[in-house]
Amino acid sequence: MNSRASATDFGGRAVREALLDSGVSNGDIEEAYVGNVAGTAQDQTGVIGQAVLREVGVTGIPITRVENACASSTCAFREAYKTVKSGSCDIALVLGVEKMSGVPTEVALKDMSGASDAQVEGAMGMTFMGVYGMRASTYMDRFGDVREELADIAVKNHANGRANPHAHLHLDIDREDVLESRRIAAPIRLLDACPMSDGAAAAVIAPGAVAEELVDDPVYVDAVEMSSGHYLDSDREYWREELDERVAKRAYDEASVGPDDLDIVEVHDAATIGELMHYEGLGLADYGEGAELVRNGDVMRDGRIPVNPSGGLKSRGHPVGATGVAQLCELVWQLREEAGPRQVEDPSIGLAQNSGGALLGEGGVSTVTILSTR
Amino acid sequence: MNSRASATDFGGRAVREALLDSGVSNGDIEEAYVGNVAGTAQDQTGVIGQAVLREVGVTGIPITRVENACASSTCAFREAYKTVKSGSCDIALVLGVEKMSGVPTEVALKDMSGASDAQVEGAMGMTFMGVYGMRASTYMDRFGDVREELADIAVKNHANGRANPHAHLHLDIDREDVLESRRIAAPIRLLDACPMSDGAAAAVIAPGAVAEELVDDPVYVDAVEMSSGHYLDSDREYWREELDERVAKRAYDEASVGPDDLDIVEVHDAATIGELMHYEGLGLADYGEGAELVRNGDVMRDGRIPVNPSGGLKSRGHPVGATGVAQLCELVWQLREEAGPRQVEDPSIGLAQNSGGALLGEGGVSTVTILSTR
């Protein structure tokens, strides 16, 4: 969504939908965490959680904003989850919200560049798409040309997104459209890149026993893992998603599952090469083998392991501080078989991977969340 | 401190001092929370925690930025405390860091105004000092003129701050200097207001048994409570610190102490009227009686209940995202009797109160932390 609506408008709407869905009222919320990067189009840059939540009557409780660039709302979800898990509260709310339109594009871009490694990479003129371009070049230098498969990832995600009423870009594109689109940072082209979006997503978290009282079909949190990287490790192999690997291993261990057990996956496809590399970092394919999942249709909505049935960042959009919880909402809808025309067949375990911050130096964060119907 | 130093420089220094003090090494830190409002003078606006902490070798762990305006680092401390308390990590680091100089003053002021109630009060032209001015007027309308006592609070805090090598403003002022200083927002004058500062503060948090292994003189966390307000409650009495009252009650209950048990207090004196009203909200005095604590010397460094022995925001300074942890550092130094010439006599229980965000509509947060030597 990009519109005249304010963060308060669409943030409030997301909260209301989460409350209706979970059967709790605003007064039942004991603690709230809000993921946001840049404020409400730059006017409300502090205590934005309080400013948005007051509009839906969620006041007088602890409200905390969490920021970790594009992974902000997964990190907010993690704090809410830890709070509920520790027993210090029964019903927590998590909201991701971001308003990126309504300011000059250069202001929004400056906000985004400030979420990269601004002090080192930024000073050298690096941008996020520049980083993705360099990683794609490194990857292809090692494993061969995957430009067609990258284009097919964009085509897949837009096809999925056309079936998602929540998606920002309902584009009907084919491989040639991607390969012939404007070059952004070689080999990344315009249609390899996600848009800047407005959006919000919200979830209510409660202990299992409480959730089972509230709704007929709770979805369970089996793992939420997050780590920052090692930043500018000169030995680092840039074709490798070491940070994903490390975080995913902890999440798989926590949930007692492996990549072969997953029925549905949402990954951080800010650029198509990101999606491909996340396949490998998460262990869905060996290094260098990710493109095969595209070629053989495994990651299609009706494939062996559907990836980004929501449309991903590419089509659903990338309202940065909202993206992580939007991924989790998609998993919940899919696991409950409420995803309508984009429903994948009979899923019971889903994984979401959400990245944030500097990528080349791997200084940001990767998060992996595993949800299931049990 | 206001200087050419970067957030990375002084943030890193604070972390190094915390590591030295606690006897842990950077590799021992399992999780870190970073309080910050505006980025590192606007270049690094996302994942700032990762950018600062990599300079001291704290990488590869979960690092989360927490923002709640001027209470950001107390809220970061709260997340770290909850994480340790829940048993999910043994050694957590909390850092508050803010770089406010080095950008045009209007940019820093815009960042600050974005932490007020930007959507309602901001749109009406309200500023933080405007809010404090209105609250002071309301207070004095009800309880009588306290301008001399407010001036004496400024004089007290600057006298304390002159004994604090960490303080930003080492001013030697008297009551007349304050009363004759430039009017900012009647009845607030320039010397009633805190400065904008650069600064950082850090702490290491561990379970009691771990802390007792690490150091000879651990300080214990007896309570960390936080809440947001009710925002624009039209029945609200603006001379009353209802939010403080509510949060302090929970903290006193949690710690099993009352205001009479406190030996030392740090409060959020962004303006002198703030300090006075916090006396009352925290129960150190009845409503309308706070000025008496100033008149009879109770809140002096050698008084019955010393308030802001560090110099407070007024003299120590107000690097917004660092202030909360700076208050906690002062309590720790005082409780360990390491505060040198500003040491209060034999304290064993201390309280810090830190506010953030919109004040008139009480939409921000108040936090109350109680530490002790047990």
Side-chain angles (χ1 to χ4, degrees):
Chain A
M1 167 171 52
N2 278 72
S3 71
R4 290 171 175 276
S6 71
T8 307
D9 297 332
F10 52 78
R13 183 176 151 192
V15 172
R16 281 188 204 99
E17 291 189 9
L19 295 178
L20 284 171
D21 185 74
S22 59
V24 306
S25 75
N26 53 353
D28 296 328
I29 306 294
E30 296 165 55
E31 173 123 23
Y33 288 90
V34 177
N36 174 264
V37 176
T40 60
Q42 283 66 29
D43 57 347
Q44 186 79 49
T45 48
V47 293
I48 176 178
Q50 286 85 341
V52 173
L53 292 179
R54 71 171 167 189
E55 298 295 320
V56 282
V58 176
T59 64
I61 59 168
I63 298 172
T64 303
R65 174 192 173 195
V66 172
E67 185 277 330
N68 253 341
C70 305
S72 293
S73 61
T74 302
C75 293
F77 179 85
R78 180 172 176 263
E79 296 306 308
Y81 170 71
K82 291 198 307 184
T83 297
V84 169
K85 195 178 174 194
S86 73
S88 74
C89 111
D90 259 1
I91 300 189
L93 174 73
V94 60
L95 168 68
V97 60
E98 201 75 46
K99 171 77 174 169
M100 303 181 81
S101 70
V103 291
T105 302
E106 57 268 29
V107 173
L109 286 173
K110 183 173 180 296
D111 278 337
M112 287 309 98
S113 71
S116 73
D117 177 354
Q119 323 229 330
V120 177
E121 295 173 1
M124 293 187 288
M126 293 291 291
T127 62
F128 275 102
M129 286 304 144
V131 167
Y132 278 117
M134 290 170 72
R135 296 198 74 179
S137 298
T138 307
Y139 184 94
M140 292 200 277
D141 184 57
R142 186 177 183 95
F143 297 119
D145 191 344
V146 293
R147 281 176 295 180
E148 291 190 353
E149 290 84 352
L150 295 182
D152 289 347
I153 287 172
V155 172
K156 165 182 76 72
N157 288 353
H158 278 294
N160 289 344
R162 285 200 304 281
N164 183 355
H166 300 291
H168 173 194
L169 291 181
H170 286 125
L171 296 183
D172 188 357
I173 57 168
D174 62 21
R175 182 194 285 179
E176 291 311 307
D177 292 329
V178 181
L179 294 175
E180 288 166 12
S181 65
R182 183 158 57 87
R183 186 177 289 168
I184 301 294
I188 305 290
R189 291 176 181 269
L190 181 65
L191 289 175
D192 285 300
C194 71
M196 297 202 297
S197 312
D198 294 351
V204 170
I205 308 175
V210 174
E212 286 156 14
E213 293 277 311
L214 288 169
V215 295
D216 292 333
D217 49 2
V219 168
Y220 298 87
V221 182
D222 294 334
V224 188
E225 293 292 336
M226 183 268 277
S227 181
S228 298
H230 285 294
Y231 251 124
L232 299 175
D233 171 0
S234 56
D235 293 331
R236 184 163 165 238
E237 298 164 309
Y238 287 108
W239 48 266
R240 186 177 182 136
E241 274 287 358
E242 186 272 335
L243 182 54
D244 268 13
E245 271 185 70
R246 193 153 50 83
V247 175
K249 181 181 186 317
R250 291 214 311 261
Y252 290 138
D253 288 350
E254 173 76 14
S256 301
V257 299
D260 290 341
D261 299 314
L262 303 175
D263 300 311
I264 176 177
V265 172
E266 291 274 319
V267 301
H268 196 86
D269 59 325
T272 50
I273 183 67
E275 175 161 331
L276 185 76
M277 295 179 77
H278 292 308
Y279 297 160
E280 302 176 4
L282 297 172
L284 306 182
D286 289 338
Y287 282 102
E289 302 294 328
E292 183 60 23
L293 299 184
V294 181
R295 283 191 293 268
N296 68 19
D298 277 354
V299 291
M300 301 298 282
R301 199 159 66 213
D302 58 359
R304 185 175 58 83
I305 173 66
V307 176
N308 283 331
S310 70
L313 283 60
K314 189 71 194 77
S315 168
R316 187 192 59 232
H318 188 24
V320 287
T323 287
V325 174
Q327 292 178 324
L328 301 181
C329 289
E330 178 68 11
L331 292 188
V332 167
W333 290 323
Q334 292 280 356
L335 290 169
R336 288 181 179 167
E337 309 210 26
E338 296 173 352
R342 68 186 188 285
Q343 181 65 48
V344 309
E345 197 184 327
D346 196 23
S348 60
I349 303 177
L351 177 149
Q353 183 280 329
N354 180 207
S355 303
L359 294 171
L360 190 59
E362 209 179 51
V365 297
S366 182
T367 69
V368 172
T369 308
I370 298 176
L371 305 183
S372 75
T373 54
R374 279 190 194 163
Chain B
M1 166 170 55
N2 278 71
S3 72
R4 288 173 176 275
S6 71
T8 307
D9 296 333
F10 52 77
R13 183 175 151 192
V15 172
R16 282 188 203 97
E17 291 190 9
L19 295 177
L20 284 171
D21 185 75
S22 59
V24 306
S25 75
N26 53 354
D28 296 328
I29 305 294
E30 296 165 55
E31 173 125 23
Y33 289 90
V34 177
N36 175 263
V37 176
T40 61
Q42 282 68 29
D43 56 347
Q44 186 80 48
T45 48
V47 293
I48 176 177
Q50 286 84 340
V52 174
L53 292 178
R54 71 171 166 188
E55 298 296 318
V56 282
V58 176
T59 64
I61 59 167
I63 298 173
T64 303
R65 173 193 175 195
V66 172
E67 185 276 330
N68 254 339
C70 305
S72 293
S73 61
T74 303
C75 294
F77 179 84
R78 180 170 175 264
E79 296 307 309
Y81 170 70
K82 291 198 306 183
T83 297
V84 169
K85 195 178 175 194
S86 73
S88 75
C89 113
D90 259 1
I91 299 189
L93 174 72
V94 58
L95 168 67
V97 61
E98 201 75 46
K99 171 76 175 170
M100 303 181 81
S101 70
V103 291
T105 302
E106 57 270 28
V107 173
L109 286 174
K110 182 171 180 299
D111 279 336
M112 287 307 98
S113 71
S116 73
D117 176 354
Q119 322 229 332
V120 177
E121 296 173 1
M124 294 187 286
M126 292 291 293
T127 62
F128 275 103
M129 285 303 145
V131 168
Y132 278 117
M134 289 171 72
R135 296 197 74 180
S137 298
T138 307
Y139 185 94
M140 292 199 278
D141 183 58
R142 186 175 183 97
F143 296 119
D145 190 345
V146 293
R147 280 176 295 179
E148 291 190 352
E149 289 85 351
L150 294 182
D152 289 347
I153 287 172
V155 172
K156 165 182 75 72
N157 289 354
H158 278 295
N160 289 345
R162 285 200 304 279
N164 183 356
H166 300 289
H168 173 194
L169 291 182
H170 286 123
L171 297 182
D172 188 356
I173 58 168
D174 63 22
R175 181 193 285 178
E176 291 312 306
D177 292 328
V178 181
L179 295 175
E180 288 166 11
S181 64
R182 184 157 56 88
R183 185 177 291 169
I184 302 294
I188 305 289
R189 291 174 181 270
L190 182 66
L191 289 176
D192 285 299
C194 72
M196 297 203 296
S197 311
D198 294 351
V204 171
I205 308 175
V210 174
E212 287 156 15
E213 293 277 310
L214 288 168
V215 295
D216 292 333
D217 48 2
V219 168
Y220 297 86
V221 181
D222 293 334
V224 188
E225 293 292 337
M226 182 269 276
S227 181
S228 299
H230 285 293
Y231 249 124
L232 298 175
D233 171 1
S234 55
D235 293 331
R236 186 165 164 236
E237 298 165 309
Y238 287 107
W239 48 268
R240 185 177 182 138
E241 274 287 359
E242 186 271 336
L243 183 54
D244 268 14
E245 272 184 69
R246 192 152 52 82
V247 175
K249 181 179 185 318
R250 291 214 310 261
Y252 290 139
D253 287 350
E254 173 77 14
S256 302
V257 298
D260 291 342
D261 298 315
L262 304 175
D263 300 312
I264 175 176
V265 172
E266 290 274 317
V267 300
H268 197 86
D269 60 325
T272 50
I273 184 67
E275 175 162 329
L276 185 76
M277 295 178 77
H278 292 309
Y279 296 161
E280 301 176 4
L282 296 172
L284 307 181
D286 289 337
Y287 281 102
E289 302 294 327
E292 183 60 23
L293 299 183
V294 181
R295 283 191 295 267
N296 68 19
D298 276 355
V299 290
M300 301 297 283
R301 198 159 69 214
D302 58 358
R304 184 174 59 81
I305 174 64
V307 176
N308 283 330
S310 69
L313 283 62
K314 189 70 196 77
S315 167
R316 187 192 59 231
H318 189 25
V320 288
T323 288
V325 174
Q327 291 179 324
L328 301 181
C329 289
E330 178 69 12
L331 292 188
V332 167
W333 291 323
Q334 291 280 356
L335 290 169
R336 287 180 177 169
E337 310 212 24
E338 295 173 354
R342 69 185 188 285
Q343 180 65 49
V344 309
E345 198 183 328
D346 197 21
S348 61
I349 302 178
L351 178 150
Q353 182 281 328
N354 180 206
S355 302
L359 292 171
L360 191 59
E362 209 177 52
V365 297
S366 182
T367 69
V368 172
T369 307
I370 298 176
L371 305 183
S372 75
T373 53
R374 282 191 192 161

